[in-house]
């Protein structure tokens, strides 16, 4: 048996070490708090280490494939630079040192959001199902010799049904207009016949006879309403042919244009008046006497909503509802202007006149780019979404491609209709050109004319009645006021510094002090004698030139540049003087 002493010795080695006795100068509560803090720190360190280890393992798992190998292409897929450049929104904003840190954060977040949207748009560009294509002939074959029947026989059944003719010789000639979705067609005959057609399904929506001459027809913001310029007054009808309004302030209207983002109907009359009607409230916005006589040539710039008018003296004038005078006046032809068209980017304008010339202008500089001679002149012009130009000469319709980039010698396509063309319009989002003539209406297939992919939020050809109502409410909430129409839409984002200075001066006079003035630096109070008068002044002197630092740097750089320029000029003068001096030995030279 083990002795008692052996038991005590083994117990002394195995048992835990006893805590020392408490001393009177130690507080037991502080000791307990220290122990708890040490335990908490060790647990926090263990938690942070576990988090780092877990994140490292997750990253490694993401890089591994099912086979156990690492991912050879880690990270997101690269995007080509040309596609990124296509969706680029704006350049990066320069941040000065004096800007507030909150403003810098806001600018940084805005740039990050814009960059993310740019990348998403570039990636989703691959998802767009359709692509634009043009007609290509065989070797030594001109595409203008290919007839519409040959094209209809070569394409699929759905596309072939888009080429058709309506024989309406009793009430012609006809004016044509397509809705903004490109699905509905509006026809207006000179002798009073008005018809709405869903031309995809060939369903007749309504057909009426107004029993007087019709000068022009135009769809309004949706396919539920349209305007008809009749012999005496302007009328508004719904898609069922029911008369909604008779606006007697708008009399003798010859041409109409609808501004979709402003809900404005612009009309040009035989008496020389240009009038704007707000269709959302039914009120006249402005009426301007152009003092240029009869107005029968009219179009709009889709980029900035400026109305272009052609006159008998060969000029084209640009108008806005904000001013009573023309914004610009261009002398385009030696004779009367017959037709005007502007592309969707608002960059190029095409005009035709009685001098049998077709001219292309750059609206940004108001200078002519190209000039073409047509044997009989063009009576009607229309531009497609992809930049194709259609010109009607009598009963012949010719379509041209790239009229403003390269010299054109022959048309892209050509077609002859039954009688003289009176109205012509490209269908949005379709390779279709609608032609209204004296014998009715003809729909022509023009490959590459329309935009292949539509935006379902703005113009959806397949939207339901409920979707159309929701879109209409949203468009009314986002309606742009007529006062914002200007030649340069980017002017709205700029600051008028002169007006801002005047307003700031008036505010200072009213308040008696400058609210935007920077407060003077007041040193913070410090203890232990460090806030004496001398220390206060020393700290003030350290930041005295902080506000003027950038100005001082600019002045110093300017002075250095001026001194270097003066030194160079002085050296040049001295070199010229030395080269001009003659030595005493020059007299011995022959």
């Amino acid at each position: 048996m083990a002795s008692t002493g052996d038991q005590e010795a083994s117990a002394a080695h195995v048992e835990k070490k006893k805590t020392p006795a408490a001393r009177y100068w130690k507080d037991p509560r502080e000791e307990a708090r220290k122990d708890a803090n040490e335990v908490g720190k060790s647990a926090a360190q263990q938690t942070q280490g576990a988090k780092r280890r877990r994140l490292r393992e997750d990253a490694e798992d993401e890089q591994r494939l099912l086979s156990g190998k690492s991912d050879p292409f880690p990270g997101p897929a690269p995007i080509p630079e040309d596609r990124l450049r296509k969706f680029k929104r704006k350049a990066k904003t320069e941040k000065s040192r004096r800007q507030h840190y909150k403003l810098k954060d806001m600018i940084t977040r805005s740039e990050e959001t814009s960059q993310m949207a740019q990348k998403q748009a570039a990636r989703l560009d691959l998802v767009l199902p359709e692509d634009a294509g043009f007609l290509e002939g065989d070797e030594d074959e001109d595409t203008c010799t290919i007839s519409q029947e040959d094209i209809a026989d070569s394409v699929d059944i759905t596309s072939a049904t888009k080429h058709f003719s309506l024989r309406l010789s009793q009430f012609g000639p006809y004016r044509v207009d397509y809705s903004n979705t490109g699905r509905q067609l509006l026809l207006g005959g000179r002798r009073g016949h008005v018809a709405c057609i869903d031309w995809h399904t060939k369903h007749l929506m309504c057909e009426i006879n107004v029993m007087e001459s019709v000068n022009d027809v135009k769809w309004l913001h949706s396919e539920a309403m349209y305007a008809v310029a009749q012999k005496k007054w302007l009328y508004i009808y719904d898609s069922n042919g029911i008369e909604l309004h008779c606006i007697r302030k708008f009399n003798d209207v010859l041409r109409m244009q609808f501004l979709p983002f402003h809900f404005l109907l612009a009309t040009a009359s035989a008496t020389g008046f240009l009038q704007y009607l707000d269709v959302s409230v039914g009120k006249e916005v402005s009426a301007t006497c152009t003092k240029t006589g009869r107005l029968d040539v009219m179009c709009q710039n889709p980029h900035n909503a400026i109305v272009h008018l052609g006159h008998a003296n060969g000029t084209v004038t640009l108008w806005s509802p904000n001013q009573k005078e023309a914004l610009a006046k261009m002398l385009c032809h030696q004779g009367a202007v017959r037709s005007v068209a502007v592309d969707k980017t608002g960059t190029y304008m095409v005009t035709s006149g009685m001098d049998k010339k077709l001219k292309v202008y750059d609206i940004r500089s108001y200078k002519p780019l190209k000039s073409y001679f047509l044997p009989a002149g063009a009576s009607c012009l229309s531009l497609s979404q992809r930049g194709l130009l259609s010109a009607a000469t009598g009963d012949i319709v010719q379509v041209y491609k790239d009229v403003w980039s390269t010299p054109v010698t022959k048309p892209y396509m050509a077609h002859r209709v039954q009688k003289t063309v009176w109205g012509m319009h490209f269908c949005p989002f379709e390779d279709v050109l609608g032609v209204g003539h004296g014998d009715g209406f003809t729909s022509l297939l023009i490959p590459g004319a329309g935009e292949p992919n539509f935006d379902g939020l703005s113009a959806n050809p397949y939207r339901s009645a409920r979707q159309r109502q929701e879109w209409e409410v949203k468009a009314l909430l986002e309606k742009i006021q007529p006062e914002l129409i200007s030649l340069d839409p980017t002017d709205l984002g700029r600051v008028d510094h002169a007006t801002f200075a005047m307003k700031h001066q008036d505010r200072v006079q009213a308040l008696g002090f400058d609210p935007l003035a920077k407060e003077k630096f007041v040193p913070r109070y410090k203890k232990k004698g460090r806030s004496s008068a001398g220390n206060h002044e020393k700290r003030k002197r350290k930041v005295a030139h902080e506000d003027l630092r950038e100005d001082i740097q600019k002045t110093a750089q300017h002075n250095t540049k001026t001194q270097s320029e003066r030194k160079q000029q002085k050296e040049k003068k001295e070199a010229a003087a030395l080269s001009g001096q003659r030595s005493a030995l020059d007299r011995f030279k022959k």
Side-chain angles (χ1 to χ4, degrees):
M1 287 181 65
S3 63
T4 309
D6 295 339
Q7 290 179 0
E8 290 178 357
S10 62
H13 285 289
V14 175
E15 287 181 358
K16 290 183 180 180
K17 195 173 182 180
K18 292 185 179 180
T19 56
R23 305 297 181 181
Y24 67 91
W25 62 79
K26 291 183 179 179
D27 190 1
R29 288 178 295 179
E30 291 184 2
E31 296 292 333
R33 197 180 301 116
K34 285 182 181 179
D35 296 340
N37 289 339
E38 290 178 359
V39 173
K41 285 181 182 178
S42 62
Q45 290 176 358
Q46 292 177 1
T47 307
Q48 292 176 359
K51 283 184 179 178
R52 285 196 294 269
R53 198 182 312 111
R54 197 180 305 113
L55 289 173
R56 200 182 307 116
E57 291 175 357
D58 291 343
E60 291 176 358
D61 291 341
E62 287 179 359
Q63 292 181 356
R64 291 197 196 100
L65 299 176
L66 292 176
S67 60
K69 298 180 181 179
S70 60
D71 189 1
F73 306 104
I79 306 172
E81 288 294 332
D82 55 346
R83 193 172 290 121
L84 278 174
R85 208 178 301 115
K86 175 183 175 183
F87 295 97
K88 186 177 181 181
R89 296 187 173 188
K90 59 179 181 178
K92 287 191 175 182
T93 308
E94 296 182 0
K95 303 171 190 173
S96 63
R97 295 175 56 189
R98 302 179 64 179
Q99 281 181 343
H100 198 267
Y101 70 96
K102 288 188 177 179
L103 178 59
K104 288 184 180 179
D105 292 343
M106 289 175 62
I107 294 174
T108 304
R109 287 196 296 270
S110 175
E111 289 178 350
E112 289 176 355
T113 306
S114 178
Q115 191 174 8
M116 183 187 68
Q118 177 188 357
K119 290 182 179 180
Q120 287 181 348
R123 290 185 188 281
L124 292 176
D125 192 30
L126 299 171
V127 186
L128 298 177
E130 304 295 338
D131 192 10
F134 292 98
L135 187 65
E136 295 182 1
D138 296 334
E139 294 183 2
D140 301 331
E141 182 185 12
D142 292 337
T143 55
C144 61
T145 60
I146 301 175
S147 65
Q148 288 291 312
E149 288 74 14
D150 295 339
I151 297 175
D153 292 340
S154 302
V155 297
D156 57 291
I157 298 175
T158 306
S159 300
T161 57
K162 296 176 183 178
H163 170 58
F164 61 92
S165 295
L166 300 177
R167 189 175 180 85
L168 305 167
S169 57
Q170 185 178 358
F171 301 105
Y174 278 84
R175 297 284 298 178
V176 182
D177 188 40
Y178 287 98
S179 61
N180 57 352
T181 60
R183 192 172 180 88
Q184 284 76 21
L185 171 66
L186 181 62
L187 299 175
R190 179 69 177 172
R191 296 183 179 89
H193 179 225
V194 179
C196 301
I197 306 170
D198 186 345
W199 69 275
H200 279 204
T201 59
K202 310 299 186 294
H203 171 66
L204 181 64
M205 299 167 63
C206 75
E207 185 179 16
I208 58 174
N209 197 312
V210 297
M211 304 303 292
E212 60 179 348
S213 62
V214 173
N215 296 322
D216 200 3
V217 290
K218 184 64 64 176
W219 285 108
L220 297 184
H221 56 279
S222 68
E223 58 272 13
M225 286 193 295
Y226 59 90
V228 180
Q230 297 178 200
K231 180 180 179 180
K232 201 170 184 180
W233 295 312
L234 176 66
Y235 289 82
I236 307 293
Y237 296 91
D238 68 352
S239 57
N240 296 322
I242 300 173
E243 180 184 328
L244 301 178
H245 303 286
C246 174
I247 307 171
R248 306 197 178 198
K249 283 187 178 181
F250 293 71
N251 58 325
D252 300 327
V253 176
L254 297 179
R255 295 291 178 266
M256 296 185 295
Q257 288 291 329
F258 184 71
L259 311 180
F261 299 105
H262 305 78
F263 281 77
L264 291 179
L265 180 65
T267 62
S269 65
T271 56
F273 273 85
L274 174 65
Q275 296 172 278
Y276 289 85
L277 173 69
D278 191 341
V279 299
S280 61
V281 294
K283 291 184 179 180
E284 183 184 19
V285 174
S286 70
T288 306
C289 181
T290 59
K291 302 177 184 178
T292 53
R294 182 183 177 89
L295 302 176
D296 57 350
V297 178
M298 183 183 189
C299 79
Q300 66 160 312
N301 188 339
H303 179 63
N304 53 15
I306 295 294
V307 172
H308 295 230
L309 298 178
H311 307 289
N313 56 1
T315 60
V316 174
T317 53
L318 281 62
W319 296 87
S320 167
N322 306 322
Q323 297 187 15
K324 297 298 181 181
E325 298 293 333
L327 302 176
K329 186 179 291 186
M330 304 169 59
L331 180 60
C332 299
H333 295 276
Q334 296 178 356
V337 179
R338 300 184 69 184
S339 184
V340 183
V342 182
D343 74 321
K344 68 174 185 178
T345 60
T347 307
Y348 303 105
M349 179 181 70
V350 185
T351 63
S352 64
M354 294 292 290
D355 55 357
K356 301 180 182 179
K357 287 187 178 179
L358 180 74
K359 293 186 178 181
V360 181
Y361 285 86
D362 190 343
I363 306 179
R364 297 169 296 183
S365 59
Y366 304 105
K367 292 182 180 179
L369 297 178
K370 299 283 189 301
S371 179
Y372 304 99
F373 179 79
L374 298 178
S379 61
C380 232
L381 298 176
S382 180
L383 280 167
S384 73
Q385 292 176 323
R386 301 286 297 181
L388 296 184
L389 172 68
S390 63
T393 304
D395 59 346
I396 298 175
V397 178
Q398 294 178 336
V399 181
Y400 297 90
K401 190 168 86 171
D402 299 331
V403 290
W404 42 71
S405 58
T406 57
V408 178
T409 57
K410 56 186 177 181
Y412 169 60
M413 292 188 69
H415 183 74
R416 183 187 291 273
V417 294
Q418 296 295 328
K419 292 184 180 179
T420 305
V421 176
W422 201 51
M424 195 163 47
H425 200 282
F426 277 99
C427 180
F429 311 110
E430 294 284 351
D431 293 343
V432 169
L433 172 63
V435 182
H437 46 83
D439 200 37
F441 171 80
T442 303
S443 177
L444 305 178
L445 295 176
I446 310 295
E451 185 67 33
N453 299 289
F454 60 88
D455 186 0
L457 297 178
S458 60
N460 185 5
Y462 308 104
R463 65 189 179 189
S464 61
R466 180 65 177 172
Q467 288 175 331
R468 180 185 61 79
Q469 293 170 359
E470 292 178 355
W471 171 86
E472 190 171 350
V473 172
K474 185 179 178 181
L476 283 169
L477 293 174
E478 295 177 352
K479 185 181 78 167
I480 304 174
Q481 295 301 319
E483 293 80 12
L484 302 180
I485 297 177
S486 61
L487 279 174
D488 189 4
T490 59
D491 286 341
L492 299 176
R494 298 175 186 167
V495 178
D496 190 352
H497 294 283
T499 308
F500 176 76
M502 293 173 62
K503 289 182 179 179
H504 180 62
Q505 188 177 358
D506 296 340
R507 190 179 178 191
V508 170
Q509 291 178 357
L511 297 176
F513 65 94
D514 189 357
L516 300 181
K518 193 172 182 180
E519 297 180 359
K520 293 183 178 180
F521 174 70
V522 179
R524 186 168 58 88
Y525 179 76
K526 295 184 178 181
K527 296 180 180 181
K528 296 182 181 180
R530 288 179 293 175
S531 286
S532 62
N535 288 336
H536 263 270
E537 292 301 323
K538 285 180 183 178
R539 277 188 276 163
K540 283 183 180 179
R541 277 192 230 108
K542 286 181 181 179
V543 297
H545 302 293
E546 193 72 30
D547 298 336
L548 303 176
R549 181 174 292 177
E550 292 184 4
D551 297 336
I552 293 171
Q553 288 178 354
K554 289 180 182 178
T555 306
Q557 292 175 0
H558 179 69
N559 293 339
T560 307
K561 187 178 180 181
T562 307
Q563 289 177 3
S564 62
E565 290 177 354
R566 288 178 181 174
K567 189 176 180 180
Q568 290 176 1
Q569 290 178 0
K570 187 177 180 180
E571 290 176 354
K572 286 181 181 179
K573 287 182 180 178
E574 291 177 355
L578 288 173
S579 62
Q581 290 178 357
R582 299 183 65 184
S583 65
L585 299 176
D586 288 343
R587 66 180 184 272
F588 299 108
K589 294 180 179 179
K590 290 183 180 180

